[in-house]
Amino acid sequence: MLVMLAQGLLGAFDTLYYHEYVCRLPVHGSKVAGELRLHALRDFVYGILFLTLPFYKWQGLLAVVLCLLIVLEISITIWDFNTEAVERVHIGGIGNTERGLHLVMAVVYGIFLAHLFPELLTWFPLSSSFSQQEPLPLWIRWVSLFFGIGVICSGLRDLFASVGLRSCQFDLFGRKLPE
């Protein structure tokens, strides 16, 4: 669970610093709509992970659904690597430090999956249901809840900005918007 929280911290930094502060992705809306939509979809998957894994076991066929969500997330990330390289050309490109952070995040995600996989193997043969997860420290549950809600809100903002909803194309840091 701590590895998942580390991934959440890295993702929050990536979103706040690179996506919001450096690139201002939601402000550019239609210019980076494909990337914003991919971020939104990935954010919803991460929201599900943060809001369920600290609390519930995905048993039986639900473990298969969880695996499919993870495969979806990995596919989105690969697609996003290519999309951002193309779409960000018009807004200054993607920096090497951001690419480096994405690499670190991929490694941390791999570590997270390596820890989750043995759990999944124990959940597969059980009857299909969500069951209570072993108690975790309260602070871990609260941080995971915070990350889950935060990533879903970020995903909604990206989705709405991608379709040109002007109220979602604002600068979090109070800088003047492009005309």
Side-chain angles (χ1 to χ4, degrees):
M1 193 54 29
L2 292 178
V3 177
M4 187 170 135
L5 295 183
Q7 181 76 349
L9 283 173
L10 291 169
F13 177 77
D14 182 42
T15 299
L16 291 173
Y17 183 69
Y18 290 110
H19 299 180
E20 293 286 347
Y21 183 74
V22 174
C23 296
R24 303 169 75 191
L25 294 179
V27 171
H28 292 287
S30 62
K31 292 180 185 174
V32 292
E35 181 179 1
L36 289 172
R37 287 185 189 119
L38 289 170
H39 289 176
L41 185 55
R42 182 174 53 212
D43 287 351
F44 296 137
V45 172
Y46 267 108
I48 291 168
L49 297 179
F50 280 117
L51 294 173
T52 62
L53 287 176
F55 306 96
Y56 302 104
K57 298 175 185 178
W58 294 58
Q59 296 179 172
L61 291 178
L62 292 174
V64 175
V65 171
L66 179 58
C67 288
L68 292 174
L69 281 172
I70 290 168
V71 169
L72 174 64
E73 189 284 327
I74 292 167
S75 300
I76 293 167
T77 298
I78 292 167
W79 191 0
D80 183 44
F81 284 163
N82 297 314
T83 301
E84 67 190 7
V86 172
E87 289 190 350
R88 287 201 203 176
V89 166
H90 305 293
I91 64 167
I94 181 167
N96 289 334
T97 55
E98 185 177 4
R99 286 194 187 280
L101 177 60
H102 291 168
L103 177 62
V104 170
M105 291 172 68
V107 170
V108 171
Y109 195 61
I111 294 168
F112 162 71
L113 293 178
H115 282 81
L116 181 61
F117 186 71
E119 289 293 317
L120 282 170
L121 291 178
T122 66
W123 298 346
F124 278 122
L126 303 173
S127 62
S128 296
S129 67
F130 287 108
S131 69
Q132 202 69 25
Q133 189 68 273
E134 287 79 25
L136 292 170
L138 193 56
W139 72 268
I140 290 177
R141 289 178 176 217
W142 277 107
V143 170
S144 185
L145 187 64
F146 176 76
F147 282 164
I149 292 169
V151 77
I152 287 173
C153 289
S154 177
L156 286 171
R157 177 169 181 228
D158 285 350
L159 179 63
F160 295 146
S162 77
V163 296
L165 187 62
R166 194 73 180 145
S167 62
C168 291
Q169 294 174 298
F170 58 88
D171 188 308
L172 282 179
F173 297 94
R175 296 171 295 182
K176 185 173 175 4
L177 299 178
E179 298 303 321

